[in-house]
Amino acid sequence: MASSSESSDSDDSGTQLVIRTPSNDLSLLPVPDHVSRPGDKLCDTCEALRLSPKSFVISPGDKEWKQLGRPDDDIPLGSVESMKKRLNCPMCRLILVALGGERVPTREDGELVEVMLCWDTDGPCLDPNDPWSHDPEVRVLRPYLYKQNGAIASMRHNSFPTITLLANDSPTDSTVYFIRPVRQDMIDFSLVRRWLSLCHIYHDHNCRSNPVLKLLGRSHPATELPSFRCIDVEQDCLVLPPPGCRYVALSYVWGKKKLFSTVKSNVKFLEEPHALNKPEYRDQIPQTIRDAIQVAKEIQARYLWVDSLCIVQDDIELKIYAIKMMDLVYSAADLVLIAAGSEHAYSGIEGVRPGGRMPQQPVEEIGPGFRLAVRSRYGDLVERTAYHSRGWTLQESHFARRSLVFVNGQAVFCCQGNEAWEAHVFEPVGQVNRYGGILRAFNNDDISKYEGCILGYSKRNLSYGTDVYNAFAGISREIMCRLDTDMCHGIPTIYFDWFLLWGPFSEHTRRVSEETGLAISPSWSWSGWIGCSRSNIYGWYGGSIKCIRRAIRKRTWIIWYQREQHDSAHCIPLVRHHNIKETNPFAKKAGRNYYGSRIRKRFGDLDCSRLEPTKITLSDMKPPTYVTDISSNHSGSGFLQFWSVSLILRLAEPTSPDTYRGPPHRRTRLGIFGQSGRELGTLTVQPAWLEANAVPQEREFILLCEARDERAEYRSEDEDEDEEEGWRYKAMLVEWRDGDGNKMAMGAIGQDGNGMYAERVAIGSVGKEDLNEAFGDGPVWKEIILG
């Protein structure tokens, strides 16, 4: 029978668990020896701050007492360059470490970078939906960088750096919200078990059940995945765990070195009890996986899922099926172990085993019995890891309901009820957020959630470009279910025209095969390019999907088809919805556009009646074969075929001012000009394209839809964003390829083996009144095959 300080629980397989209620008694570790340095002395600037331990305590009567907000003016500390020269000032050293250490720039855009310091407060959170809302209990110092002209320096340093008192030096009995010394030899797993117990007691169902499973109509991998295996860490072998069992899953970077893995020839041996402890297997298992097994034992979890061992790697059919189910595997896991600090599978997890080199905790002695420390954010550390840059790891962390993140020799616990519990910050039991899943509630009427998924994935790297859809399959499935959409090579078809308008947010190069040099995904999709991509639908309607659904019906005209195969003339209309209810999902009503609205007459006297694709095969053109679009319910070749307006316009140096305010880049901004010589719009092209194509020159543009270049101004609910100015025709700059691979400025799909197909170069825009500015024959209704 459980005592009053214990509760019992069981998973769906019937395994009994005993959960002990943690106490508030967490003893402080001694101050690390490295803190005191002979010869240290505060510089004149830091001495003038007149700091003491009492400076960091808020008492009744203080102006910050029960008042939220920054209490004082900013304090200038001088330039980064001068602070780096003050080698013996412990405060200067600590501030620079808090800002990012060696990554802190001394100059930016030719100007000196200065350091400013401000006071702030911290304390228990008042509103679980607003992590910045708190009851002030302690003071903290926040340094930040700015340029001599007063502008904030770019964010190449840590986010929201914070410095406060070391808990050992608290002048009161309370050490809450001050910095605790952490173990320097290894991770304190008693603290990790405390976090798990707190989450179980106070968050319970909200953190242990994942709404994504219900959304996807899923249950448990042991029920739905054929031969779902886990490592039984008690028996040290692979097993088929019981349906409903609790298990932890490992998320890590493989690296390029070949891993020992489960294959058909060894799976039976690895299922024998204690097989993983036999020298012939144990010594081949990568250290990161061996450390993950030790972590599972430390937190008393019996089953551990690791992809390289739990999926039979040479069973291609089952492997592909498992890849499609990664959303299920990571959503159903009781906990995801994220080896963020492990560069590859053989690196190991720093801090799991004693004796390894651990990073020193950033603490400095300001005076006798007075030490200050940096409250590090694990997110700043994770952002600089190989893990954070890898494509596969995004969906693994995305679907984690609870995670234990290993980085910089420390463990951090994240769940739906807390932002992060870290070893150096103590939160008393009485102030634990009791709301569970409320922190990460999903707003299903916000298009930016889906745009953010694509942006976040596109900026990551893949060792093998052919994994571009595999590593995104789980997130694709969630997008498909939440938006009720199909996917076509990474583009949600429900709002296809507007998601096609993605633009580069970094340098872009075509995604090609290392063996053949041919493209492995289409140019019209972000998946066809290596580099960060983003769309900006959010800016037009404040992110409201309800408004977008209504508006897109009247701002588009193209009927989209996807070619089935290169040697077939068959074209399939794109399907907008994930769940098709009608008998014939490809049926289209005459006179209706792709979104079901009546086709409007918008291009003057231009005859736009032809909409059906011409029967033509592409095999004679020798087009590339793209990787299989495993997420789509109606996968095709990736070549689109459609009719739209073609314009010949001139590219030249722009005459309008550049208003771009995003990250620095090497793309070149060009103007789009018409017959009158007036600039109609602008676009940016990649350096490689400009090297091969001198400007000025006349080029072909294909009109895609109506959209905006700028964000819509805020409007009240009774005002209509569709009535304001700013809506323009989005135009895709294309180049044509023939059967010999030659690129040309103009082209046509042709017939009898002499045809061509087009590829995207960039997206620009022209005014709706500018069609007669086109050179040559003016605007032409034309059929396009777009690869």
Side-chain angles (χ1 to χ4, degrees), residues 208-222 224-225 228 247 249 305 307 311 319-336 392-402 453 469-482 487 578 630-631 633:
R208 282 177 31 227
S209 65
N210 199 322
V212 173
L213 295 177
K214 183 177 180 181
L215 171 76
L216 300 175
R218 304 293 184 194
S219 57
H220 189 277
E224 299 204 25
L225 277 173
F228 176 72
Y247 66 94
W305 187 89
D307 55 2
I311 299 174
K319 182 179 178 179
I320 292 175
Y321 188 75
I323 286 172
K324 291 183 178 182
M325 293 293 184
M326 287 300 98
D327 49 353
L328 170 61
V329 171
Y330 285 95
S331 295
D334 190 57
L335 180 72
V336 176
W392 278 99
T393 58
L394 176 66
Q395 63 180 2
E396 296 167 5
S397 57
H398 172 84
F399 288 111
R401 195 71 173 161
R402 306 195 309 168
C453 287
Y469 302 127
N470 295 341
F472 196 58
I475 294 178
S476 289
R477 188 182 301 275
E478 182 182 9
I479 293 174
M480 291 166 74
C481 290
R482 289 193 184 276
M487 299 288 282
H578 174 49
I630 68 168
S631 297
N633 291 328

Side-chain angles (χ1 to χ4, degrees), residues 545-597:
I545 292 176
K546 294 177 183 177
C547 293
I548 291 166
R549 184 184 303 123
R550 181 173 62 248
I552 199 171
R553 295 168 62 93
K554 63 181 181 181
R555 296 203 177 274
T556 57
W557 57 86
I558 295 175
I559 305 296
W560 297 102
Y561 292 85
Q562 182 178 195
R563 298 188 55 82
E564 191 171 51
Q565 296 175 2
H566 294 330
D567 58 358
S568 169
H570 189 217
C571 294
I572 308 170
L574 289 193
V575 177
R576 292 181 56 226
H577 295 288
H578 174 49
N579 297 312
I580 303 299
K581 296 181 174 63
E582 59 263 38
T583 304
N584 178 9
F586 305 124
K588 298 289 179 184
K589 295 182 179 179
R592 301 278 176 169
N593 67 13
Y594 177 66
Y595 301 92
S597 291

Side-chain angles (χ1 to χ4, degrees), residues 32-249:
D33 294 335
H34 71 266
V35 169
S36 180
R37 297 191 192 181
D40 273 0
K41 186 180 183 300
L42 291 177
C43 67
D44 292 342
T45 303
C46 293
E47 184 72 50
L49 297 174
R50 303 178 65 83
L51 299 175
S52 72
K54 289 185 178 180
S55 305
F56 295 86
V57 176
I58 297 175
S59 304
D62 290 348
K63 59 184 177 181
E64 301 97 334
W65 183 255
K66 301 297 181 183
Q67 298 295 319
L68 189 61
R70 282 172 48 179
D72 289 307
D73 294 333
D74 295 339
I75 307 165
L77 298 181
S79 68
V80 171
E81 191 172 70
S82 64
M83 289 183 69
K84 286 186 175 182
K85 294 177 181 178
R86 303 171 197 164
L87 301 178
N88 293 328
C89 177
M91 191 67 188
C92 285
R93 290 198 305 260
L94 193 66
I95 289 170
L96 291 174
V97 168
L99 287 166
E102 294 299 321
R103 296 180 301 115
V104 179
T106 56
R107 291 179 178 270
E108 188 168 285
D109 299 328
E111 297 186 48
L112 282 173
V113 176
E114 308 276 344
V115 179
M116 195 74 81
L117 195 64
C118 66
W119 284 101
D120 206 342
T121 60
D122 197 9
C125 183
L126 300 175
D127 181 356
N129 286 308
D130 182 7
W132 295 104
S133 170
H134 62 267
D135 187 5
E137 287 195 4
V138 302
R139 293 188 184 93
V140 299
L141 287 167
R142 299 195 192 277
Y144 65 91
L145 302 176
Y146 69 100
K147 293 185 285 190
Q148 280 182 314
N149 63 8
I152 298 294
S154 64
M155 296 298 290
R156 286 184 288 171
H157 51 285
N158 291 339
S159 305
F160 310 112
T162 303
I163 296 171
T164 193
L165 188 65
L166 194 69
N168 306 57
D169 298 334
S170 174
T172 71
D173 293 336
S174 175
T175 60
V176 178
Y177 300 105
F178 290 141
I179 304 298
R180 304 172 66 250
V182 299
R183 285 184 62 170
Q184 295 296 296
D185 59 335
M186 67 177 295
I187 292 166
D188 184 352
F189 280 101
S190 66
L191 190 58
V192 173
R193 291 189 289 271
R194 170 191 170 87
W195 295 332
L196 294 170
S197 295
L198 285 172
C199 177
H200 183 93
I201 292 166
Y202 294 112
H203 303 159
D204 192 37
H205 181 75
N206 286 325
C207 281
R208 282 177 31 227
S209 65
N210 199 322
V212 173
L213 295 177
K214 183 177 180 181
L215 171 76
L216 300 175
R218 304 293 184 194
S219 57
H220 189 277
T223 303
E224 299 204 25
L225 277 173
S227 302
F228 176 72
R229 292 178 175 84
C230 283
I231 299 169
D232 184 333
V233 301
E234 293 180 8
Q235 294 293 316
D236 287 312
C237 63
L238 296 180
V239 297
L240 298 174
C245 71
R246 287 183 181 171
Y247 66 94
V248 298

Side-chain angles (χ1 to χ4, degrees), residues 22-34:
S23 70
N24 269 331
D25 184 19
L26 274 181
S27 58
L28 290 172
L29 296 174
V31 179
D33 294 335
H34 71 266

Side-chain angles (χ1 to χ4, degrees), residues 185-375:
D185 59 335
M186 67 177 295
I187 292 166
D188 184 352
F189 280 101
S190 66
L191 190 58
V192 173
R193 291 189 289 271
R194 170 191 170 87
W195 295 332
L196 294 170
S197 295
L198 285 172
C199 177
H200 183 93
I201 292 166
Y202 294 112
H203 303 159
D204 192 37
H205 181 75
N206 286 325
C207 281
R208 282 177 31 227
S209 65
N210 199 322
V212 173
L213 295 177
K214 183 177 180 181
L215 171 76
L216 300 175
R218 304 293 184 194
S219 57
H220 189 277
T223 303
E224 299 204 25
L225 277 173
S227 302
F228 176 72
R229 292 178 175 84
C230 283
I231 299 169
D232 184 333
V233 301
E234 293 180 8
Q235 294 293 316
D236 287 312
C237 63
L238 296 180
V239 297
L240 298 174
C245 71
R246 287 183 181 171
Y247 66 94
V248 298
L250 176 63
S251 176
Y252 65 112
V253 176
W254 276 40
K256 294 199 171 183
K257 185 177 178 180
K258 186 177 181 180
L259 298 193
F260 172 78
S261 57
T262 300
V263 290
K264 293 176 182 178
S265 61
N266 67 14
V267 63
K268 291 302 179 184
F269 297 107
L270 295 176
E271 289 176 340
E272 295 176 0
H274 309 296
L276 298 180
N277 252 342
K278 294 178 179 178
E280 61 265 35
Y281 296 129
R282 182 190 61 224
D283 296 342
Q284 295 187 71
I285 296 173
Q287 188 64 55
T288 299
I289 297 174
R290 295 210 302 255
D291 287 345
I293 292 173
Q294 181 60 34
V295 172
K297 293 177 179 178
E298 291 280 2
I299 63 175
Q300 299 162 5
R302 180 167 183 176
Y303 299 115
L304 170 67
W305 187 89
V306 181
D307 55 2
S308 59
L309 292 179
C310 298
I311 299 174
V312 180
Q313 297 295 315
D314 58 353
D315 189 332
I316 303 303
E317 185 176 346
L318 283 181
K319 182 179 178 179
I320 292 175
Y321 188 75
I323 286 172
K324 291 183 178 182
M325 293 293 184
M326 287 300 98
D327 49 353
L328 170 61
V329 171
Y330 285 95
S331 295
D334 190 57
L335 180 72
V336 176
L337 308 179
I338 296 179
S342 303
E343 188 173 349
H344 49 73
Y346 289 89
S347 300
I349 300 177
E350 194 175 32
V352 171
R353 289 162 284 113
R357 191 185 72 82
M358 298 282 284
Q360 289 187 344
Q361 187 174 8
V363 181
E364 292 282 3
E365 186 174 71
I366 308 303
F370 177 28
R371 276 81 42 126
L372 294 179
V374 174
R375 180 176 296 174

Side-chain angles (χ1 to χ4, degrees), residues 645-664:
V645 175
S646 168
L647 305 174
I648 305 301
L649 300 170
R650 178 173 288 121
L651 285 177
E653 292 293 324
T655 56
S656 59
D658 189 359
T659 58
Y660 176 77
R661 293 294 180 267

